Amino acid sequence: MAAVSGINKMYGVCLHAVRVTAGLRAARLLQHRAFRVGAVHQQQPFDSSLEKPQFPGASAEFIDNLEFIQPNVISGIPIYRVMDRQGNIINPSQDPQLSKETVLNFYQKMTLLNTMDRILYESQRQGRISFYMTNYGEEGTHIGSAAALDPNDIVFGQYREAGVLMYRGFPLDMFMAQCYANADDLGKGRQMPVHYGSKDLNFVTISSPLATQIPQAAGAAYAVKRENMNRAVICYFGEGAASEGDAHAGFNFSATLECPLIFFCRNNGYAISTPTNEQYRGDGIAARGPGYGMMSIRVDGNDVFAVYNATKEARRRAVAENQPFLIEAMTYRIGHHSTSDDSSAYRSVDEVNYWDKQDHPISRLRHYMTARSWWSEDDERSWRKQSRKMVMEAFEKAEKRLKPSPELLFTDVYQEMTPNLDKQRQSMWRHVQQYKEHYPLDLYDK
Amino acid sequence: MAAAARFFTRGAHSKLSLVAVGGGGGAHCSFGAALLNASPTCNSRTKTQRRHAAHFTFQPDPVPTQYGPTQKMNLFQSITSALDNTLAADPTAVIFGEDVAFGGVFRCTVGLRDKYGKDRVFNTPLCEQGIVGFGIGAAVAGATAIAEIQFADYIYPAFDQIVNEAAKYRYRSGNLFDCGNLTIRAPWGCVGHGSLYHSQSPEAFFAHCPGIKVVIPRSPVQAKGLLLSCIADQNPCIFFEPKILYRAAVEQVPMESYTIPLSQAEVLEEGSDVTLVAWGTQACADERKENNLRGVKGAKPSPHDPCAEGSGKHGPRETGGVMRGHRSTDHPALGCGYRLQVGGENWPFAHQPRGPNNRRLCF
């Protein structure tokens, strides 16, 4: 048939022309090619009898009036919550009905974190440690999500998730050791404070570049999916880091490669001094999820039960269905970005006070507990004293410890010590021995 | 109009052979045709330029006997063989990148998806920072991750992940975590027609970064052994594959697994006049004949130990000096840093007016 030989020459020039001129024979040829080229999902077989779109790139109907989709930022994705700001359960079916012991543990971990933050922030101000970042206002996001995970789930964090580590049982001594960079630091004193990590607790060591952990979390989730051991991965990041290219990469990879992964965005209103209206123009981070084909939800990050419920369900489904979930936890960064920041330069004290006094995850949980007579004023007083004492003890101990051995400057660059590094190491020791009066070697471990 | 006039006059004085002028709008075509006819030195039949393919003759090594039975393979087939061996032996191994599923744009992964499954050999979205980031994460979680970047020219979006993350993972975590299971592969180097973005040799950017290893083979036998070493090595490795050798280099390559040490210079030829150091395609060049030198050729110096071949009986102290050959830019190049390092090490010897064999030492 002339039409058939014509098809072979015309292929690649115009699909539409082929469809119109050919008929079923051509449709079968092209269908065959589509199956061969197609990846995981096969293309739909053509049916040229209906006037339906056949594009491989989108599954949609035709429309014949010109209409731009309006981004809905006025009434964006709704915010899921379980408690009101006074700690009362709004819809009883959403109350996770956790035991008193569990809820007390939530509260104590949040307040212990808060106490540790106060003391370590102060210690930086006094010149005892070089740098610190507090978690004020975001304790609910840490504890609620950590409690919903399995201990074996891998955590990739950004830098403001110390509560996750605390919930999992990272000792105060180890927090302090990392901040003081002393010889007990698991990280061997190499990083700035708050760059925690723990292999035992499946908390991958923090790094300073933002959002780099997001595609890494997708890779880790893919690997654990293949292991088939009922493990998930969670990846925390702020709304600022979500602007990075790595975030886009991580979202897209996790969706296309079907990874059991929870993306947990702490939208706390600021990226250092940059408010959200200068960070994005769309409806936050949750609205991006559907763009990637990802299940998404927005929650009240100051409601520890809402965070818990959402994370729990996301985790269950991520593992069961091998797909990523995006949780955007709305919260507020009550503290400065870090000890190098003074946020009064870009926001009002009134704004900060509102969140501190009227919508704080710790107070909301306390109201919930006191309403059930699970926590009294006496309990509060004695716990404050006890937690402060625990932190101070760890703090004093950490201060007295020696610093790591200078040998550790040169190890772990590669798995093995290389001749080049060994030469530098020997050169360092020669120098330090020659000028030992300038080097306080007695402060360092051998 | 003025430009056309200039073109016309230039054509009048020189033997200008014109490539086909047509193609484009009608007016253009007829104008060009008019020019052709008007120019006195042009024939009515246009002389088309002959395309000169890159001139390269690969010399295969003698057949290796110590690694078992061999098969004739070109470079991309030796890569496929290495990947095949890896996927067979290591159930955690996965290969991913752009277009690897159907076999790859250079055929390096042909047949692997059918043989080992779509969960082990798969396409990723078009995003190098994602490919490397994903690879790092998979490696951290314990899988053997083999990432492909389609051309070394496109590796830069992944630079942050490679330098700030992969290279520093072990050090910054105090050895709690590492991505030693990661290997990144990329086609590398000039091929004749690649122009700016399909010809680059970016090894110098990465050689400067402690924590990663950069490896560039010179032949199929070397490629398979070195790639298998990179995959086995517990440090993140970047494996650059000279694309001009993919088809041009053919050798008898062992079918089973074997490794070639990463951190040792390979002495290709003994000599005493000068130490020639080269890597990749340059190691195939017969500089000895071209430069009338009786020299030693060391291939693939490991960037974290560039002095390995700078010392010992083949180093500059024994010969008359070091020349480094490579195909990257001299802007300054990897060779420059290398020269400073080897030069510095050998300074006491270079200072003497005459080196051994009464030759002046040069770097």
Side-chain angles (χ1 to χ4, degrees):
Chain A
M1 281 182 2
V4 175
S5 58
I7 288 157
N8 291 329
K9 288 191 189 110
M10 279 166 65
Y11 180 79
V13 175
C14 182
L15 210 67
H16 178 72
V18 169
R19 250 194 296 131
V20 164
T21 55
L24 279 170
R25 179 77 192 267
R28 267 210 300 279
L29 258 169
L30 292 161
Q31 184 182 355
H32 170 70
R33 174 149 176 100
F35 279 138
R36 209 158 45 83
V37 171
V40 181
H41 302 290
Q42 294 171 331
Q43 315 286 15
Q44 295 307 311
F46 290 134
D47 182 356
S48 58
S49 61
L50 298 172
E51 192 61 43
K52 280 174 83 67
Q54 303 289 345
F55 303 111
S59 167
E61 296 293 331
F62 282 121
I63 191 177
D64 55 27
N65 54 299
L66 178 63
E67 228 177 82
F68 288 101
I69 297 173
Q70 179 134 5
N72 191 355
V73 290
I74 304 301
S75 59
I77 294 174
I79 304 169
Y80 171 72
R81 66 174 184 169
V82 174
M83 294 185 278
D84 63 20
R85 292 192 186 99
Q86 284 70 49
N88 304 310
I89 300 287
I90 298 165
N91 178 352
S93 71
Q94 298 301 304
D95 183 347
Q97 296 183 334
L98 299 169
S99 70
K100 176 180 170 184
E101 200 184 331
T102 304
V103 175
L104 251 55
N105 185 35
F106 282 14
Y107 184 77
Q108 287 174 341
K109 288 290 183 312
M110 289 201 282
T111 47
L112 184 62
L113 175 63
N114 193 276
T115 304
M116 183 180 82
D117 275 353
R118 283 173 205 281
I119 288 167
L120 283 173
Y121 185 89
E122 227 6 75
S123 79
Q124 192 279 340
R125 282 304 184 236
Q126 294 171 12
R128 295 168 192 264
I129 61 175
S130 60
F131 175 82
Y132 193 68
M133 298 178 97
T134 58
N135 303 276
Y136 302 147
E138 301 185 48
E139 298 89 346
T141 60
H142 304 180
I143 299 317
S145 56
L149 300 168
D150 219 68
N152 284 331
D153 293 341
I154 305 176
V155 176
F156 283 83
Q158 181 168 303
Y159 52 57
R160 218 183 289 279
E161 295 89 15
V164 175
L165 207 41
M166 188 169 272
Y167 185 86
R168 284 192 164 186
F170 200 57
L172 287 170
D173 285 342
M174 291 291 102
F175 280 110
M176 300 286 171
Q178 199 284 328
C179 289
Y180 275 90
N182 67 28
D184 292 334
D185 178 23
L186 297 174
K188 299 178 185 169
R190 293 162 176 163
Q191 293 213 80
M192 284 170 70
V194 310
H195 289 64
Y196 310 114
S198 167
K199 180 116 186 116
D200 293 340
L201 301 177
N202 296 300
F203 189 97
V204 180
T205 304
I206 301 299
S207 72
S208 307
L210 292 184
T212 49
Q213 73 276 16
I214 303 178
Q216 292 172 20
Y222 192 87
V224 310
K225 174 173 81 162
R226 290 202 69 243
E227 274 176 5
N228 207 14
M229 306 270 284
N230 184 22
R231 279 175 102 187
V233 176
I234 191 165
C235 181
Y236 294 91
F237 53 95
E239 86 286 350
S243 296
E244 281 279 358
D246 271 347
H248 161 70
F251 296 157
N252 200 20
F253 274 57
S254 66
T256 54
L257 300 174
E258 298 170 353
C259 303
L261 172 56
I262 303 159
F263 290 112
F264 195 103
C265 177
R266 295 175 293 96
N267 188 331
N268 63 14
Y270 290 90
I272 307 187
S273 69
T274 307
T276 52
N277 65 4
E278 288 172 13
Q279 193 64 247
Y280 53 75
R281 219 26 84 83
D283 178 24
I285 314 309
R288 298 180 197 172
Y292 293 100
M294 195 159 34
M295 300 289 289
S296 316
I297 192 170
R298 174 174 283 153
V299 305
D300 181 344
N302 290 353
D303 176 344
V304 72
F305 293 141
V307 172
Y308 175 83
N309 285 351
T311 311
K312 192 120 187 115
E313 180 65 1
R315 196 239 175 242
R316 185 187 70 77
R317 290 187 62 183
V319 174
E321 298 163 26
N322 282 322
Q323 61 168 320
F325 279 76
L326 172 60
I327 300 175
E328 183 183 18
M330 308 307 293
T331 180
Y332 187 84
R333 193 197 77 207
I334 289 173
H336 307 300
H337 166 70
S338 72
T339 47
S340 310
D341 178 46
D342 175 6
S343 61
S344 64
Y346 51 82
R347 59 183 186 177
S348 73
V349 174
D350 287 341
E351 178 186 305
V352 179
N353 274 336
Y354 166 79
W355 291 96
D356 198 21
K357 302 283 182 294
Q358 301 195 41
D359 192 346
H360 199 290
I362 291 175
S363 351
R364 273 162 93 171
L365 191 63
R366 189 170 59 243
H367 291 318
Y368 176 89
M369 295 189 321
T370 53
R372 278 154 190 74
S373 307
W374 287 352
W375 194 255
S376 68
E377 280 298 314
D378 283 341
D379 292 326
E380 179 70 21
R381 253 193 307 274
S382 73
W383 170 245
R384 277 204 197 186
K385 210 165 136 195
Q386 187 192 345
S387 55
R388 197 184 154 77
K389 182 162 176 282
M390 282 160 64
V391 175
M392 288 308 298
E393 271 169 11
F395 172 83
E396 277 151 16
K397 200 169 125 196
E399 272 216 328
K400 294 192 177 75
R401 279 294 276 128
L402 292 173
K403 299 299 182 204
S405 165
E407 284 282 311
L408 296 175
L409 281 168
F410 301 95
T411 57
D412 304 325
V413 178
Y414 293 92
Q415 186 197 39
E416 67 281 0
M417 173 68 76
T418 62
N420 190 26
L421 282 166
D422 200 31
K423 272 185 227 156
Q424 293 175 43
R425 187 182 64 88
Q426 289 169 21
S427 167
M428 183 273 292
W429 279 120
R430 276 197 303 273
H431 172 86
V432 163
Q433 285 308 313
Q434 190 177 350
Y435 300 104
K436 57 163 102 59
E437 68 275 16
H438 297 286
Y439 293 97
L441 282 173
D442 48 323
L443 295 179
Y444 289 80
D445 213 6
K446 290 289 160 282
Chain B
M1 203 55 184
R6 260 183 271 129
F7 182 62
F8 177 93
T9 50
R10 214 186 299 137
H13 294 293
S14 63
K15 282 199 170 51
L16 191 68
S17 61
L18 292 170
V19 184
V21 174
H28 239 111
C29 285
S30 55
F31 185 64
L35 225 52
L36 271 171
N37 291 333
S39 169
T41 57
C42 287
N43 303 328
S44 51
R45 262 182 64 224
T46 322
K47 275 196 206 138
T48 43
Q49 286 178 322
R50 186 160 294 179
R51 178 172 168 266
H52 295 281
H55 168 69
F56 191 77
T57 315
F58 176 78
Q59 300 299 330
D61 279 350
V63 180
T65 49
Q66 70 269 48
Y67 302 124
T70 64
Q71 189 182 329
K72 181 168 151 188
M73 295 184 208
N74 61 27
L75 188 79
F76 75 71
Q77 289 164 335
S78 72
I79 302 293
T80 315
S81 178
L83 297 175
D84 194 348
N85 292 149
T86 302
L87 290 168
D90 179 352
T92 73
V94 286
I95 301 172
F96 50 90
E98 293 150 29
D99 304 297
V100 301
F102 88 106
V105 293
F106 287 108
R107 317 261 293 268
C108 294
T109 50
V110 168
L112 298 178
R113 184 178 171 94
D114 287 340
K115 193 168 173 186
Y116 295 101
K118 61 185 173 70
D119 62 319
R120 298 188 71 188
V121 181
F122 52 91
N123 291 339
T124 63
L126 213 169
C127 178
E128 286 75 17
Q129 67 194 101
I131 290 168
V132 174
F134 178 92
I136 292 171
V140 168
T144 296
I146 303 165
E148 177 177 301
I149 298 293
Q150 200 156 85
F151 284 86
D153 313 55
Y154 309 139
I155 202 164
Y156 307 110
F159 199 79
D160 186 37
Q161 286 284 352
I162 293 170
V163 168
N164 267 338
E165 297 287 315
K168 296 171 170 61
Y169 231 91
R170 190 190 292 276
Y171 187 81
R172 74 185 187 206
S173 69
N175 202 24
L176 292 178
F177 299 95
D178 68 85
C179 57
N181 290 332
L182 173 67
T183 304
I184 301 167
R185 297 174 36 244
W188 170 100
C190 59
V191 70
H193 58 282
S195 195
L196 288 80
Y197 302 110
H198 297 79
S199 310
Q200 289 179 36
S201 304
E203 68 276 15
F205 295 112
F206 300 101
H208 179 62
C209 175
I212 50 174
K213 294 190 179 180
V214 181
V215 178
I216 310 172
R218 63 175 178 82
S219 74
V221 171
Q222 291 288 311
K224 177 169 168 173
L226 290 171
L227 178 55
L228 286 168
S229 291
C230 285
I231 293 168
D233 195 275
Q234 284 304 297
N235 299 291
C237 295
I238 305 179
F239 187 77
F240 285 127
E241 300 164 359
K243 63 176 82 67
I244 199 175
L245 297 182
Y246 272 144
R247 292 177 185 274
V250 182
E251 282 182 325
Q252 287 288 334
V253 180
M255 282 146 59
E256 282 159 29
S257 243
Y258 63 98
T259 54
I260 292 176
L262 291 180
S263 298
Q264 261 174 43
E266 181 197 7
V267 178
L268 293 177
E269 235 178 82
E270 301 278 346
S272 58
D273 285 340
V274 73
T275 307
L276 294 175
V277 180
W279 53 89
T281 328
Q282 197 63 20
C284 302
D286 204 355
E287 284 155 347
R288 192 179 49 98
K289 213 158 95 177
E290 286 159 26
N291 295 296
N292 259 334
L293 292 170
R294 294 188 308 278
V296 165
K297 218 187 301 189
K300 50 159 184 69
S302 39
H304 63 270
D305 187 17
C307 304
E309 55 297 306
S311 50
K313 73 181 182 69
H314 299 115
R317 295 180 203 181
E318 301 304 323
T319 63
V322 173
M323 284 166 59
R324 78 272 178 268
H326 62 88
R327 300 216 158 173
S328 186
T329 60
D330 202 13
H331 194 62
L334 174 58
C336 176
Y338 168 86
R339 181 176 55 200
L340 289 169
Q341 191 148 8
V342 173
E345 294 267 319
N346 290 289
W347 181 241
F349 300 88
H351 222 183
Q352 294 160 23
R354 298 284 170 196
N357 305 324
N358 210 31
R359 300 288 172 97
R360 185 176 290 280
L361 282 172
C362 54
F363 294 97

